[in-house]
Amino acid sequence: MQTTATPTHCPYCALQCGMNLTPAPDGTVEVSERTDFPVNRGALCGKGRTAPAVLASNVRLTSPLVRDGGELVPASWDEALDRIAEGLRRTRAEYGPDGVGVFGGGGLTNEKAYTLGKFARVVLGTSQIDYNGRFCMSSAAAAGIKAFGLDRGLPFPLEDIPKTGCVILVGSNLAETMPPSLRFLTELKENGGTLIVIDPRRTKTAEQADLHLAPRPGTDLALALGLLHLVIAEGRVNEEYVRERTAGWEDARAAAMAHWPEYVERITGVSVPELRETVRLFCEPESAMVLTARGPEQQSKGTDTVGAWINLCLATGRAGRPLSGYGCLTGQGNGQGGREHGQKADQLPGYRKLDDPAARRHVADVWGVDPDSLPGPGRSAYELLDALGTDIKSLLLMASNPVVSAPRAAHIEERIKSLDFLAVCDVVLSETAALADVVLPVTQWAEETGTTTSLEGRVLLRRQAITPPDGVRSDLEVMHELAARLGVEKGFPTDPEEIFEELRRASAGGPADYSGITYRRIVEENGVFWPCPAVEPEGLTGDQDGAGGPAAQRGAAGRPASTEREETVGVAHPGTPRLFLDRFATPDGRARFVPVSHRAIAEEPDDEYPVLLTTGRVVAQYQSGAQTRRVAELNAAAPGPFVELHPRLAARLGAAEGDPVAVVSRRGRAVAPARITDTIRPDTVFMPFHWPGEGRANSLTNPALDPTSRMPEFKACAVRLEAVRP
Ligand SMILES: Nc1nc2c(c(=O)[nH]1)N[C@H]1C(S)=C(S)[C@@H](COP(=O)(O)OP(=O)(O)OC[C@H]3O[C@@H](n4cnc5c(=O)[nH]c(N)nc54)[C@H](O)[C@@H]3O)O[C@H]1N2
Ligand SMILES: Nc1nc2c(c(=O)[nH]1)N[C@H]1C(S)=C(S)[C@@H](COP(=O)(O)OP(=O)(O)OC[C@H]3O[C@@H](n4cnc5c(=O)[nH]c(N)nc54)[C@H](O)[C@@H]3O)O[C@H]1N2
Ligand code: SF4
Ligand SMILES: [Mo]
């Protein structure tokens, strides 16, 4: 065991803050500042600082569990693995390969996500695999691919933010969801830039803004169209940019012209003067950015909504230029990498498409299988969960807790209970693991090595700092053992670096090309931005620099790596901190406008359900809370669910601060204490989704899906409030 500090990264969100870990005498680790990582420069939020608490043996699982006589009881690894292999084999024999489902998570390292996708296609032969990232940034991903030909959350490093002229932050509460990143916005303002925050609540983030717009939930599409209308009406379109670098402007222009400011004001509740001021602040400086997060994305029209914000950037020449652009603030620790390497229903490693014959050939070749043996695209996350017990009879689940986090969760809980067989790999006994037939206890961040890709598209190395306790094994060992039991002896190694070397080859030439990245380079360079092909394209040299310099100019993505030239040229590609500066990743290099129009949320309030519910996060809890609800310090800060509502709504209900309030939707009912504040719109209530049981926000949410991204509408549904008499 090492006694010196190991530099690594936080287990939680996509900021992937750097931290040092030093083994403590009691077998856990101490977290200390790691100032050399430029994103957080040593700063951590409370979750990161307390992350070691989840390593303790009284909190986490240290033995496999199997269901016997209705109870989960400890078992040996061999018995547990045998039972899983038997369960999956039985389903396959009875219902065919698609009877077995696989559900992954954006918290898995690249090596794990890659192996899970390969395991589903090669060992199980199932098309039924998807993951929780579908609930996260899939709308932004779909819109990015349509417009730019490529999806990388941020096309520039965070360090560019303070240098731009104006940032519009749409539906991100990063002061709570990525606290150390607030610094970039503070520096923006210190440098004279302006910050506009769009959120139905005056959040901690919105409090920092020069201008806060509080639209009605689910109306961001109309808002963006109204802004574009004004851009056109006020003659602020960058005609030259539109001509040289985009396609499809006429249709998008016509669509925006139909969205008069007064009409948009009626839909959104944002006044015409506020719209005009936003346009002025956004258009006047040399450079500007739009950043979206889950607010506008987790809607049944999230793809079009993000498309509308991208249109605004394109019309004003604010994309693919130095210090300007559109970006999505990805959420989970490996939310970016986890969406690139094949755990998504329609995807092969390197962000390749499963229905592309050339992609199938390339990846099948790396895997040593026949391309025709690879299944086709499967169902999206909610559709997969909704099919459990009907066409999907067994499920292998890794790194998600859908009993708490899926929309219409009571229904999904029933679907999970109706499975013939459920196996869960987790570090704790989550609410979903508690329903399993077999639970496997796995190693965690500080106990294993692997890469993650941060919201910047920067590939990072998390390093093992301590020895895992007896009784746990890594997800990679689990897949190795299960593959062997299901008759696949080769191709599922347990050494992360060996897997990364294979991932490099599998991703080579794909949009998310990692072939030039090695563990060594990641350490030496403090992370490497993809795409990073194995060799330098002809005629370019390898120095890396800031915005607008030669390295940035090379930022055209999706350029194929030519592996034959590796030996002859041998100059390392520098990686790509900044994308699109000379061309977009479309066949003709132009960005695409997408003509979009306002449409209503899937479930508008009515007489029976007159109030809007939106959901989200608080600073001290993470996601389904499976990990953070086990940390005393975090529980003290955020002990349980609540219903945030405006004093006017509270008065109508007769509820005082702390009184239990029932929130009822067409899907179910949740009860939690009232938190009364005038920082929220009077027509909207907010609930965080971190808790199970009576206060579970997802008992209420609407699984209406975006037609393109299949993202559920977590951010808006109709509810009524009832006072609960004790
Ligand atoms: N503390 C903490 N941090 C986290 C996480 C966590 O669970 N806890 N999770 C991580 C993950 S996976 C993710 S995806 C990110 C999410 O990060 P964020 O997107 O910042 O988080 P949310 O709280 O879901 O939503 C952001 C804001 O959207 C607003 N909102 C609600 N409805 C609408 C709407 O219709 N329009 C607009 N414009 N805004 C709306 C909410 O009021 C909320 O303030 O956070 C990451 N970081
Ligand atoms: N109402 C509402 N619902 C939402 C959202 C919302 O804004 N509102 N946001 C959605 C979003 S953006 C997201 S990302 C999802 C997230 O929701 P979930 O998918 O439930 O995510 P987590 O709670 O992070 O669950 C991860 C689980 O994996 C375990 N785990 C951690 N690391 C590992 C590992 O390396 N291996 C294995 N095998 N297990 C591991 C953890 O202990 C935990 O039980 O929730 C979605 N649900
Ligand atoms: S902001 Fe995210 S990455 Fe940084 S310490 Fe907090 S949870 Fe960890
Ligand atoms: Mo997320």
Side-chain angles (χ1 to χ4, degrees), residues 13-14 47 136 170-174 176-178 198-201 203 215-220 293-296 298-299 329-332 614-624 686 689-690 715-716:
C13 86
K47 298 184 297 300
C136 189
V170 194
S172 157
N173 184 13
L174 53 72
E176 296 212 50
T177 53
M178 300 182 178
I198 303 181
D199 195 306
R201 304 184 301 140
T203 58
R216 188 169 183 265
T219 63
D220 302 82
R294 299 312 79 78
Q298 288 175 327
Q299 300 184 10
L329 298 160
T330 296
Q332 298 182 85
T614 191
T615 60
R617 295 159 166 81
V618 297
V619 65
Q621 297 289 353
Y622 188 69
Q623 312 277 63
S624 75
F686 169 83
F689 77 99
H690 309 293
K715 288 293 190 264

Side-chain angles (χ1 to χ4, degrees), residues 103 107-109 112 132-133 135-137 294 298 332 397-402 404-406 425-428 430 442-444 448 475 615-617 622-627 689 697-698 701 714-715:
F103 200 87
L108 295 172
T109 59
K112 293 179 183 185
N132 69 4
F135 296 161
C136 189
M137 34 19 69
R294 299 312 79 78
Q298 288 175 327
Q332 298 182 85
L397 183 136
M398 226 173 232
S400 180
N401 185 14
V404 178
S405 57
C425 299
D426 206 312
V427 301
V428 295
S430 72
V442 292
T443 49
Q444 305 179 43
E448 56 186 20
D475 291 303
T615 60
R617 295 159 166 81
Y622 188 69
Q623 312 277 63
S624 75
Q627 292 152 287
F689 77 99
N698 276 320
T701 46
F714 286 116
K715 288 293 190 264

Side-chain angles (χ1 to χ4, degrees), residues 152 154-162 289 456 458 529 577-578:
R152 195 183 88 186
L154 292 179
F156 42 70
L158 286 162
E159 66 184 50
D160 283 2
I161 291 176
M289 295 173 178
E456 299 181 294
R458 191 197 297 245
F529 292 79
R578 296 172 183 84

